[in-house]
Amino acid sequence: MSDVKKVVLAYSGGLDTSVIVKWLQETYNCEVVTFTADIGQGEEVEPARTKAQTLGVKEIYIEDLREEFARDYVYPMFRANTIYEGEYLLGTSIARPLIAKRLIEIANETGADAISHGATGKGNDQVRFELGAYALKPGVKVIAPWREWDLTSREKLMAYCEQHDIPVDFSSKKKKSPYSMDANLLHISYEGGILEDPWAEAEEDMWRWSVSPEAAPNQPTYVELTYDQGDITEIDGQAMRPHEVVEKLNKLGGDNGIGRLDIVENRYVGMKSRGCYETPGGSIMLRAHRAIESLTLDREEAHLKDELMPKYAEVIYNGYWWSPERRMLQAAIDETQKNVSGVVRMKLYKGSATVVGRKSDASLFDESIATFEDDAGAYDQKDAEGFIKLNALRLRIAAGKGRKQS
Amino acid sequence: MSDVKKVVLAYSGGLDTSVIVKWLQETYNCEVVTFTADIGQGEEVEPARTKAQTLGVKEIYIEDLREEFARDYVYPMFRANTIYEGEYLLGTSIARPLIAKRLIEIANETGADAISHGATGKGNDQVRFELGAYALKPGVKVIAPWREWDLTSREKLMAYCEQHDIPVDFSSKKKKSPYSMDANLLHISYEGGILEDPWAEAEEDMWRWSVSPEAAPNQPTYVELTYDQGDITEIDGQAMRPHEVVEKLNKLGGDNGIGRLDIVENRYVGMKSRGCYETPGGSIMLRAHRAIESLTLDREEAHLKDELMPKYAEVIYNGYWWSPERRMLQAAIDETQKNVSGVVRMKLYKGSATVVGRKSDASLFDESIATFEDDAGAYDQKDAEGFIKLNALRLRIAAGKGRKQS
Amino acid sequence: MSDVKKVVLAYSGGLDTSVIVKWLQETYNCEVVTFTADIGQGEEVEPARTKAQTLGVKEIYIEDLREEFARDYVYPMFRANTIYEGEYLLGTSIARPLIAKRLIEIANETGADAISHGATGKGNDQVRFELGAYALKPGVKVIAPWREWDLTSREKLMAYCEQHDIPVDFSSKKKKSPYSMDANLLHISYEGGILEDPWAEAEEDMWRWSVSPEAAPNQPTYVELTYDQGDITEIDGQAMRPHEVVEKLNKLGGDNGIGRLDIVENRYVGMKSRGCYETPGGSIMLRAHRAIESLTLDREEAHLKDELMPKYAEVIYNGYWWSPERRMLQAAIDETQKNVSGVVRMKLYKGSATVVGRKSDASLFDESIATFEDDAGAYDQKDAEGFIKLNALRLRIAAGKGRKQS
Amino acid sequence: MSDVKKVVLAYSGGLDTSVIVKWLQETYNCEVVTFTADIGQGEEVEPARTKAQTLGVKEIYIEDLREEFARDYVYPMFRANTIYEGEYLLGTSIARPLIAKRLIEIANETGADAISHGATGKGNDQVRFELGAYALKPGVKVIAPWREWDLTSREKLMAYCEQHDIPVDFSSKKKKSPYSMDANLLHISYEGGILEDPWAEAEEDMWRWSVSPEAAPNQPTYVELTYDQGDITEIDGQAMRPHEVVEKLNKLGGDNGIGRLDIVENRYVGMKSRGCYETPGGSIMLRAHRAIESLTLDREEAHLKDELMPKYAEVIYNGYWWSPERRMLQAAIDETQKNVSGVVRMKLYKGSATVVGRKSDASLFDESIATFEDDAGAYDQKDAEGFIKLNALRLRIAAGKGRKQS
């Protein structure tokens, strides 16, 4: 343990990571650099400065990464209509690669030889942080205190704080939630507590970002989203930067009770866990993006995207953002988005985000062909006979030779 | 055209297929056998008997296929969490293979050498009927009047009726909808009319099976679905047959404004079309099935199912139910469902079907491992380090050799 | 048929396409533009000029497309290690998109409104030509004489020639083969004749590009292929252009009895057919490319390539080179080739092309880690325990809950 | 370490595993049960009895598993045309699940609480043994001496033998090869030594199962393989059990210089390694199985098999034979094999196994349709026009709207 000279810690300013600062200083006898980022979690990050100073930290990084996060991570992911296991919008997963990248960049800037984080040994986040770190700086030392130390209960943590003069009011201002939570621009997650029983319904007062559908307005809200090459660039005709788009949609979605999710998921480390998520903006974005694609994507590229999506989601969920396979999939996905431009009209109402219209200058919808009315010869119905006959040929040959088809 | 001696027609009893009866008799100078099935479309089928008799039909088949449809088609499809292009629950597609199968069986019973249907030359249904027919009886002759005749407008059809004494009141009892509709146990679909403009929102009075979310009750409805090997066998503890399950869920869903869908889809014949669908029960079933699987499926089989699903959906959408590739996929899917048993609790409220709990004797959720509390050694957090290190190895080697990972 | 004013014909200069020139002039009363390309088929193309002139053709295009063919079609395809149905190197398929593209470009240059080709109505080539043509010029008229005319036997063709003063010696210089053959830079194919019996072994004198393995030299030939970003740029240290590479490898392979293939394949139009192919250079290139990738590709991108390959092969085989899905797949494939550079050493001997060595500056093979000798701590074997434990966790939980795993 | 009472060891009778017996007895102070299996490695297994007795082992299992290995592992794998990374026939991988299963069964029979093996911490085999063991007996303790002990060099091993009176002549009878080798019915593998340089060609005297192509007979050998439902049941008309088939084909292949392979592969633990393999019989089986499938499989199931194969190969390579995903894939694969029956004729000559004929009562090859001669109307070439037109429709619409296709 004596080898580490300086370590960059992903520091939230909360109690746990404050304990980690002290524990790293003591255990590794090394300098600690703290890195605190605003990725849209909805809490002030500046207070982390004083806290870090109090703990004797000399190099303190505090950054607003919201735009970068939305533009370079959230947006590319939504181009693929990404959902993990049919439901989960990957709100936690997608934030980790950016943190890992900045940890490594700061390590390089400050001459640190190690990084550290506050994720536990049971979860996915440790994997995501560390895979990213190793991919970007292969010789880096990673310190994961929760896998090493013996502060395995809240009582022991509190005792440690007392012994080391760590002010516990760091986190006591807000009442300790019974849930383990994580928030960023895209979502807030809840785990633990009564959620550990998958049959138990989440309590209404757990949810923080959205009103309940029951409490949402009795009138629907309509919103128009303008897409340019797969990304939302305007809301109701007003140009916005990526993180502003997500923030605005979070507000609209949350106000209308949209984006709550309650699932049991399969972690990369091999266990099932139950989590609840609020992703108001993301839930709107997923449907809207599918809608603009429905008009502008070719059928076969759309289907191929659907076949690749579960793999892409798994790659991100498992923490392989910084990998050749992610770049390979991204290249395929991005290739399809050149014409994914236009406007989608959504209706938001008491928990539902519904597509009610879509239009595009790049639309492949051809009313003159699709029409039930006279199409003036745009489509020759007789072509269908040959189409069916040849598509059936292999089946007919097989049946003719006695193969059972049922 | 003189070769056809007897043709079995998929006969709805409506105006169009009544015209087809007469047109087949005249054009092919052949006997017509009518086949009318109750597949849950919500209309009486028995009146088709008199109508067919009036048209001179001697062999008339009228059948209640609701249970077979639900059990052998809808249920197997839902085991795969099947959705086409991210949204569509395949309500129309899944009914066609059963109709095709019965047409062929009746052709065999009655010694008919041809079958006929009332689907147009622009749509998917012609393909689904005919691929099924050819697969099951490779030498069958298929007559698709809409691809052959010149009755290409409603006016011409009416004139034909008048000329041939076909009583037009056959269908005039219900006011002619501006939409082309199709209904069965699983859904009702709407196409045409103002829907041909993808930007136009569907009118409220188009929808027939569900109330609007706005008009749904202000109190949520909770329902518990019991699964046995991937299929729902009980609702709120009451045993039901498959079609009763779907009917009951249609009622519950429809009453709560659930299951409306408005999409632009890619037809197999190569064009985009806009359709609206109501699938109240199916929308509940999709989410519930995912929920029971989340507890009982292994991660890797779940992910593999997700990767195969788009292909399976495409196979059904395109009309290849009666094909080796469908059976191959079904074998894989069914293999995974042996332990997909348990209960899912859903909340239905103003358009949303939300999972709020799930339990199973076959659950793979292990609270003793997943817990945030002390797990008494069930999981050794130190294992994670080796897990991450070896998963990172290929990335570290690459980075060590100068490969860029970002 | 009177609408066509000018048609561009893919003209080989042989008897069949000479008949087509005349038939088009007569049947459509239109001007015919001929297009004859050297794509490495091994026959002079210049003689086609006089033949076309004799037939009254005024606009005659004769072009050497070998380099373009190798560079823009063959090379990109080999980056994917493309094989159709486990065996076929797609020699015919890959030449069609280039012909289609030039036909359309010439149509645009000459103001032609139609294109024509000499492919039959049973094969894949008609599909490939026409899909390409429609994709590049959606309003083009395609004339496929073999699907239209009644010259359905050799006798009728000959009679037509006599009636229309088409000199039959056009093709009589080489004895008429019993096989239907097609050749280009990448391969020569044989169909028909005794090959229509899949049990019959091809006769030795059918093969034209390769000696039999038995007749090949008794000493192996070694060759070194240098790759740059997935493409061969040098043979035995000598820089070559793409088509020179293929030609050189055809020579080396053919001399050593390499590249014969005898398969039954599934055509896109629905039937099985039996074909024999000689692809001497391509057979070497496939193995060599895999070898250089084995050293330079990351595992996961390599596996993803393998999963996508069958789809990519199908896309090309079916004629969808000019499609969004091909471009999407190509984007993914090309993204992986940036580091696929280095040298592969092959041994060619009596029918086999065997890799015996490979090296690369971009190698990801790390001898210091892979070694069976002391690795000086480069790899910590204890990491494997955690790796296995967590990978086994889902299986252990399942078994612990009584799931059968065998 | 005191917890283990009895351990079942996969015991080869060689020096390394003899050392492990002693080391287990000493280190864990536990009883050792040895398990030695004949899986076709070509060495006597009975001598292992005396050796084990000498080491004080009381419970000794020696078994002939060749038939079970061929029937239940090799055969099912070949139904999928399984190859890893385009080249490797998985000879080592496929033997591990059977060993793991017997280790666990013997542990259950003898009341052992642990198993042990002699695989190193760098390779795939440890993973395959242990994943299998955990899947079949989740609470089992696994002891992997190579990851634990400090006998990390041959010298230390020898010193240990001397200290513990382990007779070194156990293994000295055959000169120590410079390669790490592993053999079973399906193949023999070579790693290490000069092979650690991927540019170095393997030495001729390394290969043990096959003559060099140069030394093979100058006359080809023809062989006919009879398939029943995907499995070979006869060679040249003589019925054989599965392991007899593989043994016979190994002989035929080895005599004709067939089945040598030299590759760099990606291990599951994250590194690349170079291996040489001899798989004479398997190389013949792969091509022959593809050939019988080419005649009897439907196109779409064949293509779907090709798309699934890389995943299936990866599952086996990585050690997940005893997993739900393997069973799921196997269900799909086996579903397709019902009609994969018939005869394949192969030519074996100086390193090549070439298909020269195939026939089947279940053939889907329809000569009356495929013929270049008059097909008497079996296939209507005019159908192709509609087939192409509708398949082109999406491309034409896109091009018509200005999308670039090239």
Side-chain angles (χ1 to χ4, degrees), chain A residues 266-272, chain B residues 298-300 364 366 369 378-380 383-384 386-387 391, chain C residues 383-401 403 405, chain D residues 100 104 115 126-142 147 268 318-325:
Chain A
N266 291 290
R267 287 193 192 150
Y268 189 28
V269 291
M271 72 186 70
K272 289 184 184 293
Chain B
D298 169 80
R299 180 186 70 202
E300 293 302 309
L364 296 174
D366 190 326
I369 285 179
Y379 176 98
D380 184 348
D383 286 338
F387 177 76
N391 278 315
Chain C
D383 286 338
E385 186 181 333
F387 177 75
I388 297 170
K389 279 278 189 65
L390 291 204
N391 278 315
L393 185 55
R394 65 185 172 94
L395 305 172
R396 287 167 65 207
I397 292 173
K401 288 174 178 286
R403 291 275 175 95
Q405 298 291 351
Chain D
I104 293 303
I115 61 136
Q126 56 173 344
V127 190
R128 295 165 186 153
F129 282 132
E130 298 177 28
L131 289 178
Y134 288 132
L136 298 169
K137 187 179 173 76
V140 74
K141 163 85 179 167
V142 175
R147 296 201 304 253
Y268 189 27
N318 287 354
Y320 293 95
W321 181 269
W322 302 116
S323 75
E325 64 269 27

Side-chain angles (χ1 to χ4, degrees), chain C residues 281-398:
Chain C
S283 299
I284 298 168
M285 287 163 68
L286 176 68
R287 292 222 121 153
H289 188 263
R290 277 213 171 270
I292 191 64
E293 283 195 340
S294 76
L295 217 50
T296 57
L297 274 197
D298 169 80
R299 181 184 71 202
E300 293 303 309
E301 62 185 350
H303 290 198
L304 189 46
K305 281 189 73 204
D306 283 350
E307 291 190 39
L308 292 178
M309 186 276 285
K311 175 76 180 171
Y312 179 77
E314 189 183 85
V315 162
I316 294 176
Y317 185 87
N318 288 353
Y320 293 96
W321 181 269
W322 301 116
S323 73
E325 63 269 27
R326 207 274 308 171
R327 286 193 298 278
M328 182 184 174
L329 288 162
Q330 197 74 54
I333 293 158
D334 289 355
E335 168 70 27
T336 66
Q337 300 293 295
K338 291 175 189 163
N339 295 293
V340 180
S341 305
V343 183
V344 176
R345 190 157 174 264
M346 308 278 300
K347 175 188 174 188
L348 315 179
Y349 178 68
K350 284 188 176 287
S352 299
T354 314
V355 174
V356 295
R358 68 297 275 165
K359 64 181 176 186
S360 171
D361 291 341
S363 173
L364 297 174
F365 179 88
D366 190 326
E367 197 173 330
S368 70
I369 284 178
T371 184
F372 278 79
E373 313 300 318
D374 191 333
D375 66 7
Y379 177 98
D380 184 351
Q381 299 208 17
K382 288 189 178 50
D383 286 338
E385 186 181 333
F387 177 75
I388 297 170
K389 279 278 189 65
L390 291 204
N391 278 315
L393 185 55
R394 65 185 172 94
L395 305 172
R396 287 167 65 207
I397 292 173

Side-chain angles (χ1 to χ4, degrees), chain A residues 13 16 126 138 197 212 216 251 282 287 327 330 374:
Chain A
D16 290 8
Q126 57 173 343
D197 173 8
S212 74
K251 178 78 174 74
R287 293 223 120 152
R327 287 193 298 277
Q330 197 73 54
D374 191 335

Side-chain angles (χ1 to χ4, degrees), chain C residues 84-87 120-122 126-127 130-131 134-136 138 146-148 180 191-192 196 198-201 213-214 220 222 224 262-264 266-274 287 290 293-297 299 303 306-307 310 314 320 322-325 327 343-345 347 349-352 355-359 364-365 367-373 375 379 381-382 384-385 387-389 391-392 394-396 399-400 404-406, chain D residues 84-87 120-122 126-127 130-131 134-136 138 146-148 180 191-192 196-201 213-214 220 222 224 262-264 266-274 287 290 293-297 299 303 306-307 310 314 320 322-325 327 343-345 347 349-352 355-359 364-365 367 369-373 375 379 381-382 384-385 387-389 391-392 394-396 399-400 404-406:
Chain C
Y84 181 69
E85 299 189 340
E87 301 279 5
T120 83
K122 280 189 176 179
Q126 58 174 343
V127 190
E130 298 178 28
L131 289 178
Y134 289 134
L136 297 171
W146 286 98
R147 296 200 305 253
E148 290 190 25
S180 170
E191 296 183 304
E196 293 191 0
W199 182 247
E201 183 172 357
E214 290 89 334
Y222 285 82
E224 291 184 16
D262 172 347
I263 56 168
V264 174
N266 291 290
R267 286 194 192 148
Y268 189 27
V269 292
M271 71 187 69
K272 288 182 182 294
S273 72
R274 196 261 193 102
R287 292 222 121 153
R290 277 213 171 270
E293 283 195 340
S294 76
L295 217 50
T296 57
L297 274 197
R299 181 184 71 202
H303 290 198
D306 283 350
E307 291 190 39
E314 189 183 85
Y320 293 96
W322 301 116
S323 73
E325 63 269 27
R327 286 193 298 278
V343 183
V344 176
R345 190 157 174 264
K347 175 188 174 188
Y349 178 68
K350 284 188 176 287
S352 299
V355 174
V356 295
R358 68 297 275 165
K359 64 181 176 186
L364 297 174
F365 179 88
E367 197 173 330
S368 70
I369 284 178
T371 184
F372 278 79
E373 313 300 318
D375 66 7
Y379 177 98
Q381 299 208 17
K382 288 189 178 50
E385 186 181 333
F387 177 75
I388 297 170
K389 279 278 189 65
N391 278 315
R394 65 185 172 94
L395 305 172
R396 287 167 65 207
K404 278 181 61 85
Q405 298 291 351
S406 60
Chain D
Y84 180 70
E85 299 188 342
E87 301 279 5
T120 82
K122 280 189 176 178
Q126 56 173 344
V127 190
E130 298 177 28
L131 289 178
Y134 288 132
L136 298 169
W146 286 97
R147 296 201 304 253
E148 291 191 23
S180 170
E191 295 183 305
E196 293 191 0
D197 172 8
W199 182 247
E201 184 171 358
E214 290 89 334
Y222 284 83
E224 291 185 15
D262 172 348
I263 55 170
V264 173
N266 291 291
R267 287 194 191 148
Y268 189 27
V269 293
M271 71 187 71
K272 290 184 183 291
S273 72
R274 198 265 190 98
R287 291 222 121 151
R290 277 214 171 267
E293 283 195 340
S294 77
L295 217 51
T296 58
L297 275 197
R299 181 185 69 203
H303 290 198
D306 283 350
E307 290 190 40
E314 188 184 85
Y320 293 95
W322 302 116
S323 75
E325 64 269 27
R327 288 193 298 278
V343 183
V344 176
R345 190 156 174 264
K347 175 187 173 187
Y349 179 68
K350 283 188 179 289
S352 297
V355 174
V356 295
R358 68 296 273 164
K359 64 181 176 186
L364 296 175
F365 180 87
E367 196 173 332
I369 284 179
T371 184
F372 278 81
E373 313 299 320
D375 66 7
Y379 176 97
Q381 300 207 18
K382 289 189 178 49
E385 187 182 333
F387 177 76
I388 297 168
K389 278 279 189 63
N391 278 315
R394 65 183 171 96
L395 305 173
R396 287 167 66 208
K404 277 181 62 84
Q405 298 290 351
S406 59

Side-chain angles (χ1 to χ4, degrees), chain A residues 234-282:
Chain A
E234 298 177 16
I235 296 182
D236 287 331
Q238 187 179 346
M240 291 186 185
R241 287 182 293 164
H243 66 293
E244 294 168 341
V245 164
V246 183
E247 283 165 356
K248 174 71 176 173
L249 292 178
N250 278 340
K251 178 78 174 74
L252 288 170
D255 286 350
N256 285 286
I258 288 165
R260 293 181 176 189
L261 181 66
D262 172 348
I263 57 170
V264 174
E265 74 196 55
N266 291 290
R267 287 193 192 150
Y268 189 28
V269 291
M271 72 186 70
K272 289 184 184 293
S273 72
R274 197 262 192 100
C276 289
Y277 302 96
E278 282 172 293
T279 324

Side-chain angles (χ1 to χ4, degrees), chain B residues 318-337:
Chain B
N318 288 353
Y320 293 97
W321 181 268
W322 301 115
S323 74
E325 64 269 27
R326 207 275 308 172
R327 288 194 297 280
M328 181 183 174
L329 288 163
Q330 197 73 55
I333 293 159
D334 290 355
E335 168 70 27
T336 66
Q337 301 292 296

